[in-house]
Amino acid sequence: MSSEHGQNKPPAPTPPGGEQLALIRDTVRKAKVPRAKPRTWRGAALAERLPVARVLVDKGPVHLDKLWDYAVPAELDADARPGVRVRVRFGAGAGNVREGRREGGGLLDGYIVERVAETDYKGPLAAIAQVLSPEPVLSPALLALCRAVADRYAGSLADVLQLAIPPRSARAETASPTPALPPPPRPEPGSWTRYPAGPGFLDALARGGTPRAVWTALPGPHWPTELATVIAATLASGRGALAVLPDGRSAARVDAALTALLGPGRHTLLTADAGPHERYRRWLAVRRGSVRAVVGTRAAMFAPVQDLGLVAIWDDGDSSHSDDNAPRPHARDVLLLRAVQERTGFLAGDLSRTVETAQLLENGWALPLEAGREQVRAAAPLVRTVSDGDLARDPAARAARLPSLGWRALREGLLRGPVLVQVPRRGYVPRLACERCREPARCPHCVGPLEAADADTLRCGWCGRGAHPWHCPSCGGNRLRATVIGARRTAEELGRAFPGMPVRTSGRDHVLDAVPDQPALIVATPGAEPVAEHGYAAALLLDGWALLGRPDLRAGEEALRRWLDAAALVRPQGEGGAVVIVAEPTLSPVQALVRWDPAGFAARELAERAQLGFPPVSRMASVSGPASAVAELLESLELPPDAEVLGPVPVPPAEQGRPRRAGETPAKRGRPEPEEPWERALLRVRPGSGAALAAALKSAQAARLVRREGPPVRVRVDPPDIG
DNA sequence: AGCACGCCGACT
DNA sequence: GTCGGCGTGCTC
């Protein structure tokens, strides 16, 4: 009975009597699973010390978001340490003492959170079925962090653990741990001397301090090395450091800078493209303390760095810092929680500045790390604006829709090196606008945004009605600004305007990392701009109105961020670097670019948000789903007294997202519900009540799930797209 | 989520 | 008299 139908599995330990039934069931159910079969341990002796394990079940519905007590068999005593992955039987009947009957209940994965002497549970404990691996992957610090993240985002601990702990790869665990290298010597400040507070910040880190700063990086190629220097200074104190970057490209640049600074062996790169096995191997090396510094993309925000001394984030305004999976935590906020919980230094670095980091400065939690005006002038290109009505007289330039100033900048730049042309992504433009006054075109029936269904048809993005003869309600114009011309067509047109000049494009599908230092036109969409070896000679930022016209609270902030990112790749003004932006010169993001003043812009933006009661000054959450389900959830919410409910309003079909998992039939009463229109409500609380709001949402959501009330409702704390 | 227990209608 | 509907509640 110990062989399982010829499968070449290791022989089962001889079970105590009366267990055949369970073995047979497992064999029949999943004969292909090559795992050691879990035992039921009935009658087995328990561990002598601390025979109770408190287990967090990894998957399952939200209301399982609590600890369960299991007995620890003596045989598993040594391996069943806090933090290890285990399998437990869970479900009705599992503990039922109808002898010899069921050993039922499914096997679920989980983690031992602690070992204790006694249980509060009145009833017989089931035993842990199996210790999957003796590797303690869930440390107390990681658990505390994940709990805090789950609370902040009204999500379940199990969901957060899934983001924080990579899937196991048994092979990776067998590698013998290498001892950590000794702390490196304290690094030279290098280009940090351009910032008055820079050397002091490095010094504080190197001496074991925990300074907190918002760093507005000077334009140019130095920031990866500067970030690496900050990490090296923290390592010099004998502590670890963690830096999170928005994409693999920028993470690789900082990784390379660290290698140049420290050589190999003291740091590791944690990004998705390493593959699951390699990722787990590196993660383990970090957890085991072999490697003290981590550079990575957002999943690295949970990296179990030992004795963490600094957490850093680069470009926190980039949307890829929001995780895709529930509860969709933002790397900046996770790192802020870590900085507080693990008492570390904090650095948010950026060429621009978000309102969130502006708020850290305003309330005094962090200090600014900024260069003086003369350093900015020395590093930044000359920025000029041109309104796009002003078309060049040159026929080739007219054909490429270039204003004269832009045309000149391109022509002169190309004499001295590569020139960057930034074009908003096609499809990035959410709505049409009046050609004359730029007033967004709205549906005459429901005020939704109008879209161009095809060349000649207008349709409302919300209600779907057509709006054929359109007139601008504010200026009476009847011509619409259509779509943005995409990168590829822009490249074709520029190629005709500059015959013989090489034209390359970099966009979503094929992103260029770098371009050589030769005259060429580089057409790129925002975020995909290649680095030029010695900087671009010039840049032309086209169709600024498209970035600014997005119906989003962050449109201005985001546009400025995109422009600064591109303009920072251009040579300094003193070396002839020039930027021309095609946009309305009076708009404040445009002016902030011309003055190279992201800090001032963010401060004004923050003040405005405070005035309007918008995040991050207040905290918001969105609740969306079928109208009746949203209404029920709102009804059952026990909100803090200062909470406001905005809406609900209809959700345009395009934003409803994919339907929930298949096989879920909302109609249980036989009465098939018609697919109900979706609604979204926003909840808003004053500063300080964010935790109460999240707690209220979490318990209302849990109550719904426990009672299986209708279709699920999507809850999101800090929704990114409030317009 | 599963899966039991439990309390009311039409069937061999 | 039972079989079985799915409402309610628990799972260490």
Side-chain angles (χ1 to χ4, degrees):
Chain A
M1 187 56 237
S2 65
S3 94
E4 307 227 302
H5 301 305
Q7 300 294 329
N8 53 350
K9 299 179 189 174
T14 315
E19 178 166 298
Q20 281 86 339
L21 211 119
L23 281 172
I24 289 165
R25 283 174 59 139
D26 277 350
T27 308
V28 171
R29 255 205 341 257
K30 19 176 91 177
K32 59 174 180 176
V33 176
R35 267 187 188 141
K37 46 247 117 239
R39 297 178 39 180
T40 52
W41 303 104
R42 188 182 314 110
L46 296 186
E48 281 181 28
R49 274 176 38 78
L50 307 178
V52 176
R54 314 212 68 209
V55 172
L56 182 95
V57 175
D58 185 78
K59 292 192 181 70
V62 168
H63 63 281
L64 294 189
D65 202 5
K66 56 169 224 154
L67 299 181
W68 305 84
D69 290 355
Y70 281 84
V72 180
E75 277 182 73
L76 299 183
D77 185 23
D79 281 348
R81 287 181 294 161
V84 301
R85 301 181 213 249
V86 292
R87 311 192 92 199
V88 293
R89 292 186 190 280
F90 190 94
N96 202 322
V97 213
R98 298 248 299 283
E99 283 314 319
R101 294 275 100 189
R102 284 173 302 274
E103 295 300 340
L107 280 168
L108 294 179
D109 289 359
Y111 301 90
I112 295 184
V113 165
E114 57 179 335
R115 290 276 300 266
V116 292
E118 292 175 29
T119 177
D120 292 343
Y121 181 63
K122 308 165 272 297
L125 292 189
I128 284 174
Q130 193 180 3
V131 174
L132 287 172
S133 149
E135 189 80 33
V137 289
L138 181 60
S139 67
L142 187 54
L143 175 65
L145 174 64
C146 292
R147 272 226 166 94
V149 171
D151 289 347
R152 206 237 74 173
Y153 285 94
S156 76
L157 181 55
D159 278 348
V160 180
L161 287 181
Q162 231 157 359
L163 303 179
I165 302 177
R168 173 165 185 257
S169 157
R171 198 153 39 105
E173 285 178 359
T174 59
S176 54
T178 49
L181 294 176
R186 182 190 279 236
E188 294 297 323
S191 55
W192 271 113
T193 55
R194 298 181 300 164
Y195 304 82
F201 187 73
L202 294 175
D203 189 54
L205 288 171
R207 289 189 316 184
T210 57
R212 301 186 292 251
V214 173
W215 165 36
T216 306
L218 286 165
H222 301 297
W223 66 262
T225 299
E226 286 162 357
L227 188 49
T229 306
V230 167
I231 292 168
T234 312
L235 290 182
S237 73
R239 298 173 298 170
L242 164 64
V244 177
L245 292 101
D247 50 58
R249 222 159 52 114
S250 52
R253 287 175 70 191
V254 175
D255 182 65
L258 262 175
T259 305
L261 223 52
L262 300 176
R266 286 195 174 90
H267 62 102
T268 194
L269 183 62
L270 287 185
T271 56
D273 33 62
H277 175 262
E278 179 60 16
R279 220 172 118 204
Y280 186 56
R281 195 188 67 75
R282 294 183 190 177
W283 190 90
L284 275 182
V286 171
R287 197 205 65 69
R288 292 168 171 176
S290 306
V291 170
R292 313 298 305 274
V294 171
V295 173
T297 44
R298 62 171 181 248
M301 63 193 171
F302 292 104
V305 178
Q306 295 198 358
D307 193 12
L308 191 60
L310 173 79
V311 290
I313 183 166
W314 175 255
D315 200 7
D316 68 297
D318 191 304
S319 63
S320 50
H321 280 306
S322 275
D323 205 291
D324 284 340
N325 296 304
R328 317 194 69 167
H330 192 288
R332 175 191 50 242
D333 295 309
V334 172
L335 293 183
L336 284 169
L337 288 169
R338 276 194 96 159
V340 172
Q341 292 202 333
E342 299 177 50
R343 299 219 176 84
T344 75
F346 176 86
L347 180 67
D350 201 346
L351 290 160
S352 186
R353 183 176 290 176
T354 60
V355 285
E356 283 82 3
T357 55
Q359 192 181 31
L360 297 178
L361 294 174
E362 204 203 54
N363 62 31
W365 190 82
L367 293 174
L369 209 46
E370 292 168 324
R373 284 316 296 180
E374 64 300 336
Q375 289 288 355
V376 173
R377 268 194 297 276
L382 176 67
V383 182
R384 284 173 298 172
T385 61
V386 57
S387 142
D388 54 0
D390 165 35
L391 277 185
R393 252 176 282 145
D394 186 296
R398 286 191 82 87
R401 306 178 326 282
L402 288 177
S404 51
L405 187 58
W407 167 248
R408 268 208 314 278
L410 289 183
R411 213 182 42 201
E412 286 163 19
L414 286 170
L415 298 174
R416 291 174 291 111
V419 170
L420 176 67
V421 180
Q422 187 194 57
V423 188
R425 277 207 4 237
R426 211 120 77 91
Y428 198 68
V429 191
R431 57 188 177 188
L432 302 167
C434 172
E435 190 181 60
R436 205 184 317 167
C437 74
R438 299 293 143 75
E439 183 70 17
R442 292 190 168 277
C443 171
H445 306 286
C446 76
V447 213
L450 289 184
E451 292 165 353
D454 55 60
D456 235 24
T457 322
L458 286 176
R459 200 164 26 92
C460 171
W462 287 3
C463 68
R465 273 182 279 210
H468 289 306
W470 177 84
H471 294 286
C472 176
S474 48
C475 80
N478 61 358
R479 292 174 64 88
L480 281 167
R481 183 97 187 197
T483 47
V484 160
I485 308 300
R488 180 180 284 146
R489 214 179 109 197
T490 304
E492 284 167 11
E493 292 176 350
L494 288 173
R496 281 196 292 274
F498 294 92
M501 185 60 66
V503 183
R504 308 186 65 186
T505 58
S506 177
R508 234 169 87 69
D509 20 344
H510 53 287
V511 176
L512 299 174
D513 282 344
V515 294
D517 193 29
Q518 290 155 12
L521 282 159
I522 314 297
V523 181
T525 54
E529 298 92 350
V531 175
E533 205 179 334
H534 294 105
Y536 289 97
L540 178 60
L541 312 178
L542 290 176
D543 289 332
W545 62 274
L547 283 174
L548 288 171
R550 299 171 62 221
D552 189 312
L553 193 58
R554 286 186 183 276
E557 180 187 332
E558 172 75 357
L560 177 58
R561 206 186 119 246
R562 299 299 201 178
W563 295 333
L564 286 168
D565 283 351
L569 301 173
V570 178
R571 297 170 194 163
Q573 179 173 357
E575 297 170 31
V579 172
V580 171
I581 176 166
V582 183
E584 172 55 45
T586 57
L587 297 171
S588 71
V590 181
Q591 293 191 353
L593 174 68
V594 171
R595 293 199 310 274
W596 207 282
D597 182 24
F601 180 81
R604 284 190 298 278
E605 196 74 9
L606 179 65
E608 207 171 295
R609 302 265 188 100
Q611 188 102 46
L612 296 171
F614 276 126
V617 182
S618 346
R619 170 106 17 114
M620 285 183 132
S622 73
V623 173
S624 55
S628 60
V630 169
E632 283 164 25
L633 186 91
L634 291 176
E635 188 62 34
S636 67
L637 269 178
E638 288 174 35
L639 288 169
D642 60 341
E644 290 172 78
V645 180
L646 314 173
V649 297
V651 176
E655 288 172 40
Q656 284 183 198
R658 52 254 181 292
R660 282 272 136 173
R661 49 196 87 116
E664 170 147 35
T665 322
K668 346 172 70 173
R669 288 310 95 86
R671 134 178 56 100
E673 290 174 39
E675 66 272 21
E676 208 182 339
W678 273 39
E679 289 189 343
R680 164 165 42 228
L682 286 173
L683 304 168
R684 171 164 67 181
V685 292
R686 292 169 184 285
S689 297
L693 172 63
L697 283 167
K698 189 169 173 173
S699 63
Q701 182 80 306
R704 262 182 80 73
L705 277 171
V706 108
R707 276 175 276 154
R708 268 161 291 185
E709 282 175 20
V713 175
R714 226 176 280 176
V715 167
R716 178 142 192 207
V717 173
D718 295 343
D721 56 346
I722 33 179

